[in-house]
Amino acid sequence: MTVHFIGAGPGAADLITVRGQQLLASCGVCLYPGSLTPTDLLAHCPEGATLVDTADLTLDDIIAELVAAQEAGHDVARLCSGDPAVYSAVAEQMRRLDAAGVPYDVTPGVPAFSAAAAVLGRELTVPTVGQSLVLTRAQARSTSMPEGEQLATLGASGATLALHLAVNRVEQVVDELLPHYGPDCPAAVVAKATQPGETVLRGTLGDIAGQVREARLNRAAMIFVGKVLAAENFPDSFLYSAGRERHAPGDPYCENGGQPH
């Protein structure tokens, strides 16, 4: 039997992957984050499945549920909001399952930053404007940031920033980034992307904190900072340039790997 870590997506039930939905429908046990999982998504679970809300469980409680299900011969769907690769706390669950000899696999999901960018209608890598995206968070009541990953340090690159778990510290975010980006740098906040109550704020680093407080946002929000958010007069991508040889051997942009048809 297997524990399937499944990316549930950013909120909308129909943004789970086809593979994730099929796995969910095949598992007799499902563990899910209650405050983040839409009811419509749980409707994909088979009739009679055991549903366990992990919102108030400790790590030990969660592992006990996974191990017990495996010992009973059940495949388990372990839903994670967004994508398991980012801020999902699956690493410590995997470590404990390894120690217990419980097999598992991972199915990716639509991450929160991707859904928020779609809501904004923006590509986050724009030619000559911004080609790097930094995913990070602000320090709050959570694990401390590793040395060298403080917000001011990352901001020194000038890259586009996508901040998770930071809306409650928006003033701190602004204070640390202003010296590197300036008050006129475009900024945006998307709360509850793809969910009921979705809120979109657009502005600059100088005014975004005030907008957040006025809108009373305090959870489930992404903060973006970077010039790509307002980019207009930029050159077309080389990917579809008429001047690029389409079948050059080794061309990383070539859809067939640079091999002749």
Side-chain angles (χ1 to χ4, degrees):
M1 298 295 102
T2 303
V3 173
H4 302 288
F5 290 100
I6 302 170
D14 60 353
L15 282 179
I16 192 173
T17 65
V18 172
R19 180 184 298 180
Q21 181 179 323
Q22 290 173 342
L23 285 171
L24 191 58
S26 71
C27 292
V29 178
C30 174
L31 276 69
Y32 65 97
S35 61
L36 300 171
T37 304
T39 304
D40 290 350
L41 189 57
L42 296 178
H44 295 303
C45 295
E47 185 176 354
T50 299
L51 305 180
V52 180
D53 185 352
T54 62
D56 294 323
L57 301 186
T58 66
L59 177 59
D60 286 342
D61 294 334
I62 291 170
I63 298 302
E65 292 280 356
L66 296 177
V67 171
Q70 194 269 346
E71 291 176 345
H74 297 298
D75 281 336
V76 182
R78 174 60 173 119
L79 286 176
C80 310
S81 61
D83 179 79
V86 183
Y87 303 121
S88 65
V90 300
E92 53 264 44
Q93 295 174 65
M94 291 176 176
R95 180 170 59 191
R96 295 196 180 199
L97 292 179
D98 285 336
V102 176
Y104 57 83
D105 57 29
V106 181
T107 296
V110 177
F113 80 87
S114 181
V119 170
L120 289 171
R122 284 287 176 177
E123 181 179 353
L124 300 178
T125 52
V126 176
T128 74
V129 179
Q131 291 285 285
S132 299
L133 175 65
V134 176
L135 304 179
T136 189
R137 63 174 174 83
Q139 178 62 49
R141 293 189 306 158
S142 54
T143 307
S144 60
M145 296 295 287
E147 186 62 34
E149 291 190 19
Q150 288 75 22
L151 195 54
T153 302
L154 297 175
S157 69
T160 304
L161 299 181
L163 288 92
H164 295 252
L165 310 171
V167 73
N168 286 328
R169 297 288 188 276
V170 64
E171 289 88 0
Q172 172 192 333
V173 169
V174 169
D175 288 344
E176 294 189 40
L177 296 181
L178 274 174
H180 304 290
Y181 293 83
D184 295 329
C185 182
V189 173
V190 181
K192 297 185 177 181
T194 78
Q195 305 174 51
E198 176 184 280
T199 302
V200 179
L201 306 177
R202 303 174 191 264
T204 66
L205 199 56
D207 65 24
I208 199 67
Q211 290 193 50
V212 167
R213 294 311 176 202
E214 184 176 353
R216 298 184 178 181
L217 303 183
N218 56 23
R219 62 188 299 272
M222 291 290 310
I223 300 175
F224 293 96
V225 178
K227 295 178 181 179
V228 297
L229 299 173
E232 294 182 358
N233 298 317
F234 53 88
D236 294 338
S237 170
F238 183 67
L239 177 61
Y240 298 114
S241 170
R244 181 175 67 79
E245 186 179 351
R246 285 290 185 271
H247 307 296
D251 182 356
Y253 293 99
C254 188
E255 294 179 358
N256 67 352
Q259 302 302 315
H261 289 296

